[in-house]
Amino acid sequence: MSQIETLPVQPMRDRLHRYVQLETPSGGADALDALLDLLEPRYAELGARTERHPSATGANLVAHFPGTGDKQHDRPVLCLGHHDTVWPAGTLDGPVPWLEQDGRIHGPGVYDMKGGLVVFETAVELLAQRGSAHRPITMILVADEEVGSPSARELVAEHCRDAVAALGFEPPHPDGAVKTSRWGSTRVRLRVTGRESHAALAPEDGASAIEELIDQLLVVRRIAAEHPAMLCNVGTISGGGRTNVVPGEAWCEIGMRFTDTATENSALAALQRLTPVRPGTTVSADILTSRPVWTEPESTDLTDVLTRAARAVGQQVAGRPAAGAADTNLTGSLGVPSLDGLGPVGRGAHAPDEQIIAATLPERAALTASLLARL
């Protein structure tokens, strides 16, 4: 009988339910800190020394688990998670309720990524129960990962300096494969100013910021076409006020994904060169958040360890690149051997059908414990 079969699902399901019941939208500092009030004592119970790093958008939590056995003085493994979700407060009572059906658990954040938090804590618990020697483990819980981790970037970078490896507990690929590299991701705000005037009595005195923004987005479309290794999405747009006033302001936010650093640098440089089409307007492109490209590593050492760890618990787990961005973009770009996607298998990140396969909670915990014991 494998270790997978001996791990009960119910305790992990119960922990997940408690975490999901506390809705934690990005930016909701009080709600996010309320979840830390559950997680922090849980980590302390498992032997960690914890520290909160306050932020206007919610505190980030660092938990230091001591190493054991002959590995207690080795360099630490850096683990990464986040406790914010894309879902606004009230989602549980509306479009995405908690639902258990046909071996699946549905709910806001079950897949991205509160299920991953349960996997991590269970893995640490398993290491202690089995007396497995392991390196020190540092877990960083980020409060604003879904909006680019602006409050935690330096915190993560600081802990990369000594880390022997980094493990992320984001969702895996749909087939359970972990993520061995990630595209870069940058959010840009394109802002246009114009000149207001009466739209009927003196339209010639005005300069429409909205019309200028439309023209600039056509230029952005051309930039995207010139960089086929890039994805570009205009996610939100706003401007103007009354229909009888030539609009004096307009803006949009653009999400850009890059497969390589050269494409990233070239496309962002092109945005900085945008110039107004019509007199009386100004254009600026400001980077809001940026996650660097994490390229596929030349060495397979870490994936080889993963393969052996999976085999030891009766699993076969592959690894391949991913398009989505996360905090492992930073660890990987800084040269720390990294893997991500150790959370439970499921689907529907950021979608109303967000769900996980319940049985994969103990499977991923067993895999993670096995991996941590072999690093």
Side-chain angles (χ1 to χ4, degrees), residues 2 18 29 34 41 86 118 130 191 197 208 237 240 242 285 305 315 326 335 339:
S2 73
R18 291 185 68 190
V86 300
V118 176
R130 295 170 182 169
R191 186 181 296 277
S197 68
S208 172
I237 189 166
R242 300 179 181 275
V305 175
Q315 300 181 41
L339 291 174

PDB file of all heavy atoms in Angstrom, residues 2 18 29 34 41 86 118 130 191 197 208 237 240 242 285 305 315 326 335 339:
ATOM      1  N   SER A   2       0.613   2.184  -0.885  1.00  0.00           N
ATOM      2  CA  SER A   2       1.433   3.376  -0.978  1.00  0.00           C
ATOM      3  C   SER A   2       1.071   4.358   0.117  1.00  0.00           C
ATOM      4  O   SER A   2       0.024   4.291   0.740  1.00  0.00           O
ATOM      5  CB  SER A   2       1.220   4.055  -2.341  1.00  0.00           C
ATOM      6  OG  SER A   2      -0.042   4.673  -2.391  1.00  0.00           O
ATOM      7  N   ARG A  18     -12.426  25.820   6.001  1.00  0.00           N
ATOM      8  CA  ARG A  18     -12.258  26.963   6.901  1.00  0.00           C
ATOM      9  C   ARG A  18     -11.593  28.124   6.177  1.00  0.00           C
ATOM     10  O   ARG A  18     -11.982  29.288   6.356  1.00  0.00           O
ATOM     11  CB  ARG A  18     -11.415  26.574   8.111  1.00  0.00           C
ATOM     12  CG  ARG A  18     -12.089  25.608   9.082  1.00  0.00           C
ATOM     13  CD  ARG A  18     -11.232  25.379  10.317  1.00  0.00           C
ATOM     14  NE  ARG A  18     -11.147  26.574  11.149  1.00  0.00           N
ATOM     15  CZ  ARG A  18     -10.317  26.706  12.182  1.00  0.00           C
ATOM     16  NH1 ARG A  18      -9.492  25.716  12.492  1.00  0.00           N
ATOM     17  NH2 ARG A  18     -10.300  27.812  12.898  1.00  0.00           N
ATOM     18  N   ALA A  29      -7.471  44.232   3.225  1.00  0.00           N
ATOM     19  CA  ALA A  29      -6.466  43.994   4.259  1.00  0.00           C
ATOM     20  C   ALA A  29      -7.041  43.291   5.489  1.00  0.00           C
ATOM     21  O   ALA A  29      -6.433  42.349   6.017  1.00  0.00           O
ATOM     22  CB  ALA A  29      -5.805  45.312   4.658  1.00  0.00           C
ATOM     23  N   ALA A  34      -7.338  38.406   8.648  1.00  0.00           N
ATOM     24  CA  ALA A  34      -8.158  37.455   9.408  1.00  0.00           C
ATOM     25  C   ALA A  34      -7.786  36.014   9.059  1.00  0.00           C
ATOM     26  O   ALA A  34      -7.788  35.132   9.927  1.00  0.00           O
ATOM     27  CB  ALA A  34      -9.640  37.702   9.147  1.00  0.00           C
ATOM     28  N   PRO A  41      -1.069  30.641  13.703  1.00  0.00           N
ATOM     29  CA  PRO A  41      -0.973  29.637  14.780  1.00  0.00           C
ATOM     30  C   PRO A  41      -0.839  28.213  14.268  1.00  0.00           C
ATOM     31  O   PRO A  41      -0.237  27.356  14.928  1.00  0.00           O
ATOM     32  CB  PRO A  41      -2.268  29.837  15.573  1.00  0.00           C
ATOM     33  CG  PRO A  41      -3.181  30.583  14.682  1.00  0.00           C
ATOM     34  CD  PRO A  41      -2.314  31.411  13.785  1.00  0.00           C
ATOM     35  N   VAL A  86      -8.874  36.332  -6.463  1.00  0.00           N
ATOM     36  CA  VAL A  86      -9.443  37.334  -7.372  1.00  0.00           C
ATOM     37  C   VAL A  86     -10.908  37.629  -7.057  1.00  0.00           C
ATOM     38  O   VAL A  86     -11.490  38.548  -7.623  1.00  0.00           O
ATOM     39  CB  VAL A  86      -9.341  36.874  -8.841  1.00  0.00           C
ATOM     40  CG1 VAL A  86      -7.894  36.656  -9.235  1.00  0.00           C
ATOM     41  CG2 VAL A  86     -10.167  35.611  -9.088  1.00  0.00           C
ATOM     42  N   VAL A 118      -3.144  24.200   1.992  1.00  0.00           N
ATOM     43  CA  VAL A 118      -3.432  22.988   2.765  1.00  0.00           C
ATOM     44  C   VAL A 118      -2.421  21.894   2.424  1.00  0.00           C
ATOM     45  O   VAL A 118      -1.963  21.150   3.303  1.00  0.00           O
ATOM     46  CB  VAL A 118      -4.872  22.515   2.512  1.00  0.00           C
ATOM     47  CG1 VAL A 118      -5.148  21.196   3.230  1.00  0.00           C
ATOM     48  CG2 VAL A 118      -5.871  23.574   2.975  1.00  0.00           C
ATOM     49  N   ARG A 130       6.750  11.420  10.343  1.00  0.00           N
ATOM     50  CA  ARG A 130       7.602  10.332   9.869  1.00  0.00           C
ATOM     51  C   ARG A 130       9.043  10.459  10.332  1.00  0.00           C
ATOM     52  O   ARG A 130       9.873   9.585  10.051  1.00  0.00           O
ATOM     53  CB  ARG A 130       7.537  10.267   8.347  1.00  0.00           C
ATOM     54  CG  ARG A 130       6.142   9.894   7.845  1.00  0.00           C
ATOM     55  CD  ARG A 130       6.011  10.075   6.358  1.00  0.00           C
ATOM     56  NE  ARG A 130       4.646   9.754   5.924  1.00  0.00           N
ATOM     57  CZ  ARG A 130       4.167  10.013   4.714  1.00  0.00           C
ATOM     58  NH1 ARG A 130       4.940  10.587   3.807  1.00  0.00           N
ATOM     59  NH2 ARG A 130       2.928   9.697   4.400  1.00  0.00           N
ATOM     60  N   ARG A 191      -1.984  56.156 -20.027  1.00  0.00           N
ATOM     61  CA  ARG A 191      -2.764  57.305 -19.588  1.00  0.00           C
ATOM     62  C   ARG A 191      -2.656  58.428 -20.630  1.00  0.00           C
ATOM     63  O   ARG A 191      -1.561  58.746 -21.114  1.00  0.00           O
ATOM     64  CB  ARG A 191      -2.270  57.810 -18.242  1.00  0.00           C
ATOM     65  CG  ARG A 191      -3.127  58.925 -17.639  1.00  0.00           C
ATOM     66  CD  ARG A 191      -2.558  59.389 -16.305  1.00  0.00           C
ATOM     67  NE  ARG A 191      -2.589  58.333 -15.317  1.00  0.00           N
ATOM     68  CZ  ARG A 191      -3.658  58.041 -14.594  1.00  0.00           C
ATOM     69  NH1 ARG A 191      -4.792  58.708 -14.771  1.00  0.00           N
ATOM     70  NH2 ARG A 191      -3.605  57.075 -13.701  1.00  0.00           N
ATOM     71  N   SER A 197     -13.606  70.863 -23.466  1.00  0.00           N
ATOM     72  CA  SER A 197     -14.339  72.005 -24.026  1.00  0.00           C
ATOM     73  C   SER A 197     -15.769  71.554 -24.264  1.00  0.00           C
ATOM     74  O   SER A 197     -16.087  70.358 -24.153  1.00  0.00           O
ATOM     75  CB  SER A 197     -13.703  72.489 -25.334  1.00  0.00           C
ATOM     76  OG  SER A 197     -13.864  71.511 -26.355  1.00  0.00           O
ATOM     77  N   SER A 208      -9.722  65.441 -27.571  1.00  0.00           N
ATOM     78  CA  SER A 208     -10.352  64.288 -26.946  1.00  0.00           C
ATOM     79  C   SER A 208      -9.323  63.261 -26.473  1.00  0.00           C
ATOM     80  O   SER A 208      -8.600  62.662 -27.284  1.00  0.00           O
ATOM     81  CB  SER A 208     -11.320  63.620 -27.914  1.00  0.00           C
ATOM     82  OG  SER A 208     -11.793  62.400 -27.376  1.00  0.00           O
ATOM     83  N   ILE A 237     -10.661  49.817 -19.245  1.00  0.00           N
ATOM     84  CA  ILE A 237     -10.541  51.089 -19.934  1.00  0.00           C
ATOM     85  C   ILE A 237     -11.555  52.063 -19.345  1.00  0.00           C
ATOM     86  O   ILE A 237     -12.655  51.665 -18.946  1.00  0.00           O
ATOM     87  CB  ILE A 237     -10.760  50.908 -21.461  1.00  0.00           C
ATOM     88  CG1 ILE A 237     -10.425  52.172 -22.228  1.00  0.00           C
ATOM     89  CG2 ILE A 237     -12.170  50.434 -21.770  1.00  0.00           C
ATOM     90  CD1 ILE A 237     -10.306  51.946 -23.734  1.00  0.00           C
ATOM     91  N   GLY A 240     -13.261  60.153 -19.667  1.00  0.00           N
ATOM     92  CA  GLY A 240     -14.335  61.100 -19.938  1.00  0.00           C
ATOM     93  C   GLY A 240     -15.334  61.223 -18.816  1.00  0.00           C
ATOM     94  O   GLY A 240     -15.114  60.777 -17.688  1.00  0.00           O
ATOM     95  N   ARG A 242     -19.140  63.520 -19.227  1.00  0.00           N
ATOM     96  CA  ARG A 242     -20.430  63.835 -19.854  1.00  0.00           C
ATOM     97  C   ARG A 242     -20.315  63.845 -21.371  1.00  0.00           C
ATOM     98  O   ARG A 242     -19.277  64.189 -21.933  1.00  0.00           O
ATOM     99  CB  ARG A 242     -20.950  65.190 -19.370  1.00  0.00           C
ATOM    100  CG  ARG A 242     -21.162  65.257 -17.860  1.00  0.00           C
ATOM    101  CD  ARG A 242     -21.643  66.636 -17.448  1.00  0.00           C
ATOM    102  NE  ARG A 242     -21.820  66.730 -16.006  1.00  0.00           N
ATOM    103  CZ  ARG A 242     -22.926  66.356 -15.370  1.00  0.00           C
ATOM    104  NH1 ARG A 242     -23.955  65.880 -16.061  1.00  0.00           N
ATOM    105  NH2 ARG A 242     -23.012  66.462 -14.057  1.00  0.00           N
ATOM    106  N   ALA A 285       3.057  55.825 -20.531  1.00  0.00           N
ATOM    107  CA  ALA A 285       2.914  54.387 -20.253  1.00  0.00           C
ATOM    108  C   ALA A 285       3.687  54.080 -18.978  1.00  0.00           C
ATOM    109  O   ALA A 285       4.914  54.187 -18.958  1.00  0.00           O
ATOM    110  CB  ALA A 285       3.431  53.557 -21.422  1.00  0.00           C
ATOM    111  N   VAL A 305      15.082  15.272  -8.975  1.00  0.00           N
ATOM    112  CA  VAL A 305      14.709  15.026  -7.582  1.00  0.00           C
ATOM    113  C   VAL A 305      13.197  14.841  -7.484  1.00  0.00           C
ATOM    114  O   VAL A 305      12.696  13.953  -6.775  1.00  0.00           O
ATOM    115  CB  VAL A 305      15.174  16.186  -6.674  1.00  0.00           C
ATOM    116  CG1 VAL A 305      14.672  15.974  -5.236  1.00  0.00           C
ATOM    117  CG2 VAL A 305      16.687  16.309  -6.684  1.00  0.00           C
ATOM    118  N   GLN A 315       3.795   7.775  -7.464  1.00  0.00           N
ATOM    119  CA  GLN A 315       3.268   8.719  -8.449  1.00  0.00           C
ATOM    120  C   GLN A 315       4.239   8.904  -9.609  1.00  0.00           C
ATOM    121  O   GLN A 315       5.439   8.631  -9.494  1.00  0.00           O
ATOM    122  CB  GLN A 315       3.004  10.084  -7.797  1.00  0.00           C
ATOM    123  CG  GLN A 315       2.010  10.074  -6.654  1.00  0.00           C
ATOM    124  CD  GLN A 315       1.786  11.465  -6.089  1.00  0.00           C
ATOM    125  OE1 GLN A 315       1.698  12.452  -6.815  1.00  0.00           O
ATOM    126  NE2 GLN A 315       1.693  11.553  -4.763  1.00  0.00           N
ATOM    127  N   ALA A 326       3.639  34.029 -11.633  1.00  0.00           N
ATOM    128  CA  ALA A 326       3.485  33.905 -10.182  1.00  0.00           C
ATOM    129  C   ALA A 326       4.791  34.357  -9.541  1.00  0.00           C
ATOM    130  O   ALA A 326       5.710  34.841 -10.214  1.00  0.00           O
ATOM    131  CB  ALA A 326       3.149  32.467  -9.785  1.00  0.00           C
ATOM    132  N   GLY A 335      17.898  32.910 -10.507  1.00  0.00           N
ATOM    133  CA  GLY A 335      18.798  31.770 -10.568  1.00  0.00           C
ATOM    134  C   GLY A 335      18.584  30.719  -9.500  1.00  0.00           C
ATOM    135  O   GLY A 335      19.387  29.787  -9.390  1.00  0.00           O
ATOM    136  N   LEU A 339      10.486  25.111  -8.823  1.00  0.00           N
ATOM    137  CA  LEU A 339       9.351  24.361  -9.349  1.00  0.00           C
ATOM    138  C   LEU A 339       8.085  25.001  -8.804  1.00  0.00           C
ATOM    139  O   LEU A 339       8.065  25.505  -7.688  1.00  0.00           O
ATOM    140  CB  LEU A 339       9.388  22.892  -8.911  1.00  0.00           C
ATOM    141  CG  LEU A 339      10.479  21.988  -9.474  1.00  0.00           C
ATOM    142  CD1 LEU A 339      10.414  20.621  -8.796  1.00  0.00           C
ATOM    143  CD2 LEU A 339      10.337  21.837 -10.991  1.00  0.00           C
TER     144      LEU A 339
END
